[in-house]
């Protein structure tokens, strides 16, 4: 059973993601702040992180950088899930180690397929 850390500050979207991932048989944890996400990930390293770029305290790029820098969490796959669709944002995320990049609004079915594909490549 894969463990997914959902880092999203919109409560409704966080709840929808958590519900659907659990329905697909995945374990989930949630964080609405970057600092909280880093703490959770270090305490119990997830298999995959769904990461919003626009968080209230740290940017998602800072969170991704820290996750990939820390040997405890470096193995975790990262899918960026954000409203920011500019090429520069995608390039930076991939340079920092993101495995995929999904722009909001998105298809939930497609996101679940992308999560499975990333987990298969682990």
């Amino acid at each position: 059973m894969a463990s997914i850390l959902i880092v999203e500050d919109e409560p409704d979207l966080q709840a929808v993601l958590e519900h659907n991932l659990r329905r697909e048989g995945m374990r989930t944890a949630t964080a609405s702040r970057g600092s909280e996400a880093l703490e959770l990930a270090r305490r119990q390293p997830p298999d995959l992180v769904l990461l919003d770029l626009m968080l209230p305290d740290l940017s998602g790029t800072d969170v991704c950088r820290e996750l990939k820098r820390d040997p405890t969490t470096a193995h975790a796959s990262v899918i960026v899930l954000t409203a920011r669709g500019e090429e520069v944002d995608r390039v930076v995320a991939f340079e920092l180690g993101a495995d995929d990049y999904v722009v909001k609004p998105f298809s939930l079915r497609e996101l679940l397929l992308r999560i499975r594909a990333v987990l298969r490549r682990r």
Side-chain angles (χ1 to χ4, degrees):
M1 178 185 305
S3 63
I4 312 292
L5 174 57
I6 302 163
V7 186
E8 173 60 59
D9 63 333
E10 294 179 34
D12 291 342
L13 180 54
Q14 187 185 83
V16 166
L17 291 169
E18 185 173 31
H19 171 78
N20 283 281
L21 290 169
R22 285 184 176 180
R23 196 179 75 205
E24 294 293 316
M26 298 176 196
R27 286 189 326 264
T28 62
T30 60
S32 55
R33 301 172 63 81
S35 55
E36 179 186 9
L38 291 171
E39 182 182 318
L40 284 170
R42 288 176 178 135
R43 207 172 339 135
Q44 190 164 11
D47 297 312
L48 185 140
V49 178
L50 283 179
L51 179 61
D52 187 7
L53 289 184
M54 295 180 282
L55 299 168
D57 59 346
L58 299 171
S59 73
T61 54
D62 289 339
V63 173
C64 187
R65 181 181 296 112
E66 288 302 313
L67 289 170
K68 294 302 181 177
R69 186 180 298 168
D70 187 332
T72 306
T73 57
H75 76 281
S77 299
V78 175
I79 296 178
V80 172
L81 188 61
T82 183
R84 294 169 59 175
E86 298 297 318
E87 179 184 13
V88 67
D89 296 316
R90 292 190 309 268
V91 168
V92 167
F94 285 123
E95 285 178 343
L96 291 173
D99 297 276
D100 203 350
Y101 195 100
V102 177
V103 178
K104 297 174 188 174
F106 57 89
S107 156
L108 190 55
R109 182 178 173 147
E110 180 183 351
L111 177 63
L112 292 171
L113 291 170
R114 286 175 179 261
I115 289 169
R116 285 206 171 93
V118 168
L119 290 171
R120 269 196 313 272
R121 291 191 297 258
R122 281 179 39 91

